[in-house]
Amino acid sequence: MTTQTTAPDTPGARNADTPTGLLPLPEKAARALALGGSALTIVSTFLAWTWTADFPGDLTVYGYPGGLQVLVLIGALIATLFALASYGIRGLGRLAPAGPDAALKFATLATFATSWYTIIAISTELGGVVNLEPGGYLVAVSSLTALTGALALPFQRPQPDPADPDDTGWEKFRHTAAYKWETTKAVFAAGPPRPVPALPSYAEILIIVAVLALGLVVFTYGIGTEYDELFVGFLITAGFGFAALNKAGLIAHASQITSRHQNITICGAFAAAALFPFTQTNDQYATLGVYILIFATVALGLNIVVGLAGLLDLGYVAFLGVGAYAASLVSGSPSSPFHVHFPFWAAVLVGAAASLVFGVLIGAPTLRLRGDYLAIVTLGFGEIFRITANNLDGTSGPDITNGSNGVSSIPNLDVLGFDFGAQHDMGGFTIGRFANYFFLMLVITAIVVLVFRRSGNSRIGRAWVAIREDETAALAMGINGFRVKLIAFAVGASLAGLAGTVQAHVTYTVTPEQYLFAGPIPPNSAFLLAAVVLGGMGTISGPLIGAALLFLIPNKLQFLGNYQLFAFGLALILLMRFRPEGLIPNRRRQLEFHEDAEAPTLLTKAGA
């Protein structure tokens, strides 16, 4: 195969009659199919897909998309824009800084998958394809047509010549080495990738506002999906849509802009999150919001231990339990043997201090271990904590935690006369109990983010990164590895205890079963670690987004019953296969996982 010497997404870079995609179609015909199919898909969303309202979402209306039709419409609009950009239309090039062809493939795949999922669901639930209206048939054909055209577009990156199967081992080695050498020369010739030119500050701030507003809309829509089919369709559209935007280069472009305005981005993100309770009419989804914040805050604390210091902690949820138990025992619960009622600020200090002490006590004798040995010890600590809390019932041990019944009837917080258990009117909006705790957890999350940023950029933070990358080299450079790791363990434990104090008041009851290593519903140690890895280790926004996804998706997939964890695990496997560095990775990890994949792209740029 001949290596391309022009940018792969440039129209006219190849012979238009040469089929170089997955399907044997000329390039001009493929682009026409992708554009025409996407346009017809838009039209189909304004037609009825079924004749009866028995299928949720009321897909019987002409001229007004509803339910899953809205998701298909959004995907088709994105695909149409990328299809127009692939023609080189003036002004649309900014939609795909990295090239529109790969983005078009994922956008049409999102539309096709959501459309056909809806058609299959209608046929299954209503008893056959006879229940489809003309719009249903049209969307099935048009989305398939658009996907066919997109898949026939040329590949983005060149591939090496296949080795002759009759070659000897030495000839295969020489062939591979020669290709890698040519790739390396092209990479050095191309030089480092050029950053996106900076726009005026006001324009970049407006882009940040638009990105945050879009994030709030997507999250609010996802958490408020009214029926199961709509949430599954939302997952399909959002997943492939994110991949399309990433392939187009828009995610990287937005990341560069936000990195130039980090303080504005962080403040704007918290402002957008504060608007979430005002988008809800009751506490049904605000409940999920406050639990997501608790889970995300604990995941961010674990990110210090795992993401910055590189310590694999499999029992981290125990520190959340220590903080929750400590706060519940001094917050006026009738189940507490101490019979004291501290104010909230004192209970917070007690919970954080208790977790800090346990972090030091556990870390001091164990942090001289490394790797798997440390992971096994922390896993044991998590189980020891749960079993101990279960046995402190007055029978197997002193009566402190009330055994498996836990500490119950924990009263609502009352801070400066503000009762968190009562409804309050704010600007014409009624804010319920869980919304009150949502705002409180937002403040706690802001504190944790501040601690993470300041510690990560400090001298101790650089020492954590040095230990993570190569502990032997860090020790040789004079870093006290044990002390540095113990500080990371203590800081992470105290942040988990801080979140545990709020969790105790939100749930009313603290029991040992809430702090397992693994279970169907987070938070638990396995889900916390998955949130850090999935979101992006060593970053602030990564664990927050990862925790939100890992808490929201299992709650929304409960209709799958016994297949819930299977479907969820399969989705995680696919995601980590195609994006192992996480959703929001730092630059170092992104290069570690994709340095080989970036070489062919630079090769084409060098030859251009």
Side-chain angles (χ1 to χ4, degrees), residues 415-454:
V415 180
L416 300 177
F418 186 89
D419 186 0
F420 281 79
Q423 291 186 347
H424 301 276
D425 293 328
M426 295 183 180
F429 294 91
T430 300
I431 304 300
R433 176 179 182 272
F434 286 101
N436 296 331
Y437 282 107
F438 180 89
F439 288 121
L440 177 62
M441 271 310 305
L442 202 58
V443 175
I444 301 294
T445 304
I447 295 173
V448 174
V449 168
L450 178 63
V451 172
F452 186 92
R453 282 195 72 192
R454 300 295 294 177

Side-chain angles (χ1 to χ4, degrees), residues 589-608:
R589 288 187 59 81
Q590 196 168 21
L591 291 176
E592 287 176 356
F593 282 103
H594 293 288
E595 56 184 354
D596 293 336
E598 289 185 356
T601 303
L602 293 175
L603 178 63
T604 58
K605 291 181 180 179

Side-chain angles (χ1 to χ4, degrees), residues 496-507:
L498 188 66
T501 59
V502 180
Q503 185 203 31
H505 292 86
V506 171
T507 58

Side-chain angles (χ1 to χ4, degrees), residues 456-542:
N457 295 329
S458 66
R459 181 178 179 181
I460 191 68
R462 293 191 293 271
W464 288 337
V465 174
I467 291 290
R468 181 194 69 193
E469 296 299 324
D470 193 327
E471 185 172 353
T472 303
L475 296 177
M477 295 301 294
I479 295 177
N480 189 331
F482 173 74
R483 182 176 65 88
V484 168
K485 291 190 290 185
L486 186 60
I487 292 175
F489 223 67
V491 172
S494 61
L495 294 180
L498 188 66
T501 59
V502 180
Q503 185 203 31
H505 292 86
V506 171
T507 58
Y508 287 124
T509 302
V510 180
T511 59
E513 288 72 20
Q514 294 174 341
Y515 309 104
L516 301 170
F517 166 72
I521 299 295
N524 53 62
S525 293
F527 271 81
L528 288 171
L529 184 60
V532 174
V533 177
L534 171 66
M537 292 195 297
T539 64
I540 294 176
S541 56

Side-chain angles (χ1 to χ4, degrees), residues 282-486:
N282 53 52
D283 260 7
Q284 179 182 0
Y285 301 120
T287 305
L288 290 178
V290 67
Y291 283 120
I292 286 174
L293 278 183
I294 293 173
F295 186 29
T297 302
V298 180
L300 193 57
L302 178 61
N303 198 25
I304 292 179
V305 180
V306 177
L308 294 183
L311 306 175
L312 184 55
D313 189 348
L314 298 181
Y316 187 76
V317 74
F319 297 123
L320 175 68
V322 170
Y325 265 107
S328 63
L329 292 174
V330 298
S331 295
S333 170
S335 303
S336 172
F338 301 115
H339 303 293
V340 294
H341 192 172
F342 288 4
F344 174 64
W345 63 268
V348 166
L349 293 179
V350 169
S355 296
L356 174 64
V357 170
F358 271 85
V360 173
L361 291 178
I362 298 301
T366 61
L367 285 177
R368 299 187 188 278
L369 301 174
R370 298 187 186 182
D372 299 338
Y373 301 100
L374 177 62
I376 293 172
V377 170
T378 56
L379 175 61
F381 164 66
E383 291 301 301
I384 289 172
F385 163 76
R386 183 179 60 83
I387 295 173
T388 302
N390 201 39
N391 289 335
L392 295 180
D393 57 355
T395 302
S396 303
D399 187 10
I400 297 178
T401 63
N402 203 24
S404 59
N405 294 324
V407 182
S408 59
S409 302
I410 302 172
N412 284 302
L413 291 175
D414 192 324
V415 180
L416 300 177
F418 186 89
D419 186 0
F420 281 79
Q423 291 186 347
H424 301 276
D425 293 328
M426 295 183 180
F429 294 91
T430 300
I431 304 300
R433 176 179 182 272
F434 286 101
N436 296 331
Y437 282 107
F438 180 89
F439 288 121
L440 177 62
M441 271 310 305
L442 202 58
V443 175
I444 301 294
T445 304
I447 295 173
V448 174
V449 168
L450 178 63
V451 172
F452 186 92
R453 282 195 72 192
R454 300 295 294 177
S455 60
N457 295 329
S458 66
R459 181 178 179 181
I460 191 68
R462 293 191 293 271
W464 288 337
V465 174
I467 291 290
R468 181 194 69 193
E469 296 299 324
D470 193 327
E471 185 172 353
T472 303
L475 296 177
M477 295 301 294
I479 295 177
N480 189 331
F482 173 74
R483 182 176 65 88
V484 168
K485 291 190 290 185
L486 186 60

Side-chain angles (χ1 to χ4, degrees), residues 213-283:
L214 178 62
L216 177 62
V217 170
V218 171
F219 177 76
T220 303
Y221 186 89
I223 203 173
T225 48
E226 300 175 353
Y227 50 94
D228 302 333
E229 293 86 351
L230 183 60
F231 182 74
V232 174
F234 167 77
L235 286 182
I236 295 172
T237 303
F240 287 116
F242 177 84
L245 297 179
N246 182 54
K247 288 294 184 180
L250 294 176
I251 301 296
H253 193 176
S255 298
Q256 290 189 23
I257 292 176
T258 55
S259 65
R260 289 195 286 263
H261 305 277
Q262 289 187 359
N263 293 330
I264 294 177
T265 302
I266 292 176
C267 293
F270 279 102
L275 294 175
F276 168 71
F278 296 101
T279 64
Q280 308 301 311
T281 56
N282 53 52
D283 260 7

Side-chain angles (χ1 to χ4, degrees), residues 169-215:
W170 168 251
E171 290 172 336
K172 290 181 180 180
F173 171 79
R174 187 175 61 180
H175 170 87
T176 305
Y179 173 73
K180 289 186 175 181
W181 171 245
E182 293 299 326
T183 301
T184 303
K185 290 194 299 182
V187 169
F188 279 101
R194 291 172 292 182
V196 177
L199 298 172
S201 296
Y202 71 88
E204 293 190 339
I205 293 175
L206 289 177
I207 292 176
I208 292 173
V209 172
V211 170
L212 294 176
L214 178 62

